[in-house]
Amino acid sequence: TAVEPLSSPQWFVSVNDPERSLAAPAIEAVRSGRIRLIPEGWTNNYFGWMNNLQDWCVSRQIWWGHRIPVWYCAACDPAVIPIRTAGVEPSYTIGRTARPILPDRADAHTNPSRCPACGGTRLIQDPDVLDTWFSSALWPFSTLGWPERTPDLARFYPTAALVTSFDILFFWVARMIMMGLKFMGDVPFRDVYIHALVRDADGQKMSKSKGNVIDPLGIMEQYGTDALRFTLAAMASPGRDVKLSEQRIEGYRNFANKLWNASRFVLMNTEGRPTQDDSTKRSLADHWITARLNRCINTVRQDLEAYRFDEAANHLYHFIWHEFCDWYIELAKPRLAAEAPDDEAAVTRATILTTLETTLRLLHPFMPFITEEIWQKLPHAGDTIVRAPYPKAASITREDEALEGIMADVIEVIGAIRTVRSELNVQPIQKLRAGLRMSEPQADVLRRHGQQDILRLARLAEFHTGPDVVIPPGAVVSSTSLGELFIVLEGLNLEKERARLKKNRDTADGELARLDAKLANPAFTAKAPAEVVADHERRRSELREQVTILADQIHRLEGGA
């Protein structure tokens, strides 16, 4: 009843008639929460459109589309005028006085066969087609067999989520909601996730005339499809357009390579060797990575349920690259290299395989191809990772939390020592002496659980802990959350290193002063191109950070904490 010929030959949908309104139920569906718009900020935009609707002309004089389901009787309506052209079947024009014949409501998908007024059979269908968005608005149910009550329609309507762009929120989304409520009596979907536009690295809309279009096929050929997918997911922050650059895609290609190489290491150290899932014989590192994996699963699932694909991707990136690859694999190497009893090595092999297999299932929606390839080479259940269950986290006990804390302390100590070594150009082959002045209870825990890992991964000859540890003269001292960490730089020419650092600091200071003067000059900032000014400001920020780091390094060499 919402369709009526207000001015033939055009047809309109009355959206605001109080008795036959399509808009009011669609507004209420969003207001009541039956449909969620994500991000929520788009709700006001939706209401702005829906509260100011005009009647909708749904007829179009074009060559394709759904033919308008309205007929006229040529016998009793002389306004139906045939137009004949030599060699062509006659077409018809519809006058203003013609009375429409609608399909029988009891069988609406069958064309009428006779005129209800005169019984005539010369029925002419309206030559217009429905507006594109009218046809599109029927998509959620017309594709499932409607108006028949098919099994597909019963199973899949309403759908769970619609993913679309903001620029068709009214043209498509709102109209699907109106049509679904009108013809199906229910909303067509529960969630509408509105994604951003993909722009170039400078934030400009991609355009062939500008020459800033990134060809996805070329990108996939160069960096891999998984890298492109992960880039788009990791940058899909709500309300922000994606500024796509090849550097970001290349970075995530490196991430895929990191995962591939880590998986090769795991396979080389586990294939054909026994595994044993015995939590009582796990190492500190085994307990730690298991707890971290469960936390990652919980976080990623929460992110996905909230449609925060960017946060889910970044949590996965951090866990895989930093916790699994950079820390756990390094911590597990001694056990995997038969430096531990057979049963302990078997437990670590089981832990590393379980962690990798679970991580692949967690990552699969973001990087489907590499995860399938690796998963097929691991021990697994099922024929494909696509059908494998998405991971669910096990509970994290108080003991797990305590062991996580100990491992966090070990990582902090190793990281602090590595930072000093890197900043002062200490060669990796050179083993140093170090110590940590700290409370005895913490020192005892660190000695029992982390001593060997600290010695090996920080490349130390000695490491002492406790409240009575004496800091030798000339040692580099660094503050940590556990206490004062010192490193004895034996064999290093401190005076030469100090001179080198001061020279680098003076060079950076000089360049910084020149940039400060240039950017303080109004004549330069007013006349220079915006990108040049931005580049100078970026460089100034980098130099300030560099000067701060160099000053800190010099302070350490001079015995400061």
Side-chain angles (χ1 to χ4, degrees):
T1 57
V3 181
E4 54 188 44
L6 299 184
S7 177
S8 185
Q10 292 186 327
W11 286 76
F12 288 77
V13 171
S14 177
V15 291
N16 292 315
D17 186 328
E19 295 182 0
R20 297 179 294 175
S21 174
L22 294 177
I27 292 171
E28 181 58 26
V30 174
R31 196 185 307 281
S32 65
R34 293 172 65 195
I35 294 177
R36 291 193 307 161
L37 300 184
I38 304 161
E40 196 174 330
W42 287 106
T43 303
N44 289 334
N45 184 281
Y46 173 83
F47 288 146
W49 277 105
M50 299 300 290
N51 286 317
N52 294 279
L53 290 182
Q54 302 298 317
D55 285 347
W56 170 19
C57 179
V58 296
S59 61
R60 295 289 183 271
Q61 291 79 44
I62 53 179
W63 291 103
W64 56 87
H66 288 137
R67 189 90 172 265
I68 287 180
V70 172
W71 287 259
Y72 306 92
C73 177
C76 60
D77 278 324
V80 181
I81 304 171
I83 301 177
R84 291 181 171 81
T85 305
V88 180
E89 286 294 317
S91 59
Y92 294 82
T93 61
I94 311 302
R96 292 180 178 273
T97 60
R99 294 192 301 274
I101 302 170
L102 300 177
D104 187 345
R105 292 186 180 280
D107 195 13
H109 59 292
T110 301
N111 297 348
S113 57
R114 293 182 177 277
C115 173
C118 71
T121 58
R122 290 185 60 210
L123 302 184
I124 308 301
Q125 188 173 358
D126 196 299
D128 286 3
V129 296
L130 291 168
D131 167 61
T132 299
W133 294 112
F134 186 99
S135 296
S136 300
L138 307 177
W139 181 88
F141 48 89
S142 64
T143 56
L144 299 174
W146 177 86
E148 299 288 350
R149 289 289 175 176
T150 64
D152 283 348
L153 188 63
R155 181 179 180 185
F156 295 113
Y157 189 93
T159 57
L162 173 75
V163 180
T164 187
S165 178
F166 67 85
D167 51 345
I168 53 175
L169 176 59
F170 170 70
F171 293 103
W172 191 33
V173 178
R175 289 169 176 177
M176 281 192 285
I177 295 172
M178 289 190 283
M179 292 297 186
L181 289 167
K182 175 67 179 179
F183 293 112
M184 296 298 299
D186 196 1
V187 295
F189 28 70
R190 305 301 183 192
D191 292 340
V192 179
Y193 175 72
I194 300 170
H195 61 73
L197 294 178
V198 179
R199 299 180 181 271
D200 70 9
D202 297 321
Q204 299 294 315
K205 192 170 182 179
M206 292 188 189
S207 165
K208 288 183 179 179
S209 60
K210 292 181 180 178
N212 63 342
V213 175
I214 297 178
D215 180 7
L217 296 179
I219 289 294
M220 289 188 286
E221 181 70 26
Q222 184 174 359
Y223 299 109
T225 303
D226 282 333
L228 178 59
R229 284 173 62 101
F230 198 88
T231 302
L232 294 172
M235 299 180 71
S237 299
R240 297 182 183 178
D241 288 345
V242 174
K243 295 182 181 180
L244 190 61
S245 69
E246 289 197 32
Q247 288 76 16
R248 289 294 296 268
I249 303 170
E250 183 178 10
Y252 290 122
R253 189 267 313 271
N254 297 339
F255 171 61
N257 289 341
K258 183 88 168 179
L259 176 63
W260 184 267
N261 290 331
S263 302
R264 288 181 60 195
F265 171 84
V266 172
L267 287 167
M268 285 190 298
N269 285 275
T270 58
E271 277 186 310
R273 302 184 186 183
T275 60
Q276 182 180 348
D277 188 11
D278 185 350
S279 61
T280 64
K281 294 181 179 179
R282 286 177 182 166
S283 67
L284 172 64
D286 294 338
H287 280 288
W288 173 76
I289 197 62
T290 301
R292 298 306 300 165
L293 173 62
N294 284 318
R295 291 196 188 278
C296 183
I297 292 170
N298 273 331
T299 302
V300 169
R301 290 184 73 99
Q302 290 169 6
D303 291 337
L304 292 178
E305 288 169 4
Y307 294 93
R308 289 307 306 265
F309 304 118
D310 55 329
E311 292 188 359
N314 287 313
H315 282 126
L316 276 166
Y317 179 92
H318 174 75
F319 173 78
I320 293 170
W321 189 298
H322 300 296
E323 295 183 333
F324 182 67
C325 295
D326 285 354
W327 284 108
Y328 178 64
I329 286 180
E330 292 302 316
L331 290 163
K333 280 181 178 178
R335 277 192 161 199
L336 295 174
E339 295 178 23
D342 288 343
D343 55 347
E344 292 182 359
V347 169
T348 293
R349 283 194 287 269
T351 303
I352 201 169
L353 278 170
T354 299
T355 303
L356 177 58
E357 191 276 337
T358 305
T359 301
L360 291 173
R361 285 187 282 125
L362 200 61
L363 180 65
H364 178 69
F366 298 87
M367 298 182 119
F369 300 104
I370 189 173
T371 51
E372 179 77 72
E373 182 73 18
I374 298 171
W375 189 81
Q376 291 292 345
K377 293 177 170 56
L378 297 176
H380 62 266
D383 58 341
T384 171
I385 194 173
V386 177
R387 295 194 182 96
Y390 203 64
K392 292 183 178 179
S395 59
I396 298 174
T397 65
R398 289 186 178 180
E399 180 185 5
D400 293 330
E401 292 177 345
L403 293 172
E404 275 187 283
I406 295 170
M407 193 70 238
D409 292 342
V410 172
I411 289 173
E412 181 183 2
V413 172
I414 295 171
I417 296 171
R418 284 176 167 178
T419 297
V420 172
R421 294 184 67 115
S422 174
E423 290 177 349
L424 300 181
N425 287 327
V426 179
Q427 294 300 313
I429 197 172
Q430 186 174 352
K431 291 196 172 184
L432 305 175
R433 290 188 296 125
L436 187 59
R437 183 187 286 170
M438 60 191 302
S439 66
E440 182 52 39
Q442 285 181 302
D444 179 60
V445 170
L446 207 58
R447 282 193 294 269
R448 287 188 292 111
H449 293 285
Q451 182 83 3
Q452 293 305 313
D453 289 327
I454 292 172
L455 287 169
R456 184 172 62 87
L457 295 181
R459 304 198 63 79
L460 299 178
E462 299 176 17
F463 182 67
H464 305 282
T465 59
D468 301 323
V469 170
V470 177
I471 301 177
V476 173
V477 180
S478 179
S479 295
T480 71
S481 65
L482 300 170
E484 287 184 298
L485 175 71
F486 68 87
I487 303 170
V488 181
L489 298 174
E490 295 171 322
L492 184 67
N493 188 329
L494 299 183
E495 195 58 42
K496 183 179 179 181
E497 183 63 20
R498 189 182 297 113
R500 184 186 71 83
L501 292 172
K502 286 184 175 180
K503 181 180 178 181
N504 289 344
R505 182 196 61 188
D506 293 343
T507 301
D509 266 331
E511 186 179 352
L512 180 59
R514 288 192 294 274
L515 276 177
D516 280 338
K518 203 169 186 179
L519 290 169
N521 183 355
F524 169 75
T525 55
K527 294 179 180 179
E531 58 270 21
V532 173
V533 174
D535 185 64
H536 279 46
E537 289 174 342
R538 178 189 56 78
R539 178 59 180 160
R540 179 172 64 177
S541 178
E542 291 174 353
L543 286 169
R544 284 175 175 169
E545 183 178 357
Q546 185 178 344
V547 168
T548 301
I549 293 172
L550 289 168
D552 183 57
Q553 293 171 356
I554 294 167
H555 182 61
R556 285 179 178 176
L557 281 180
E558 292 173 347

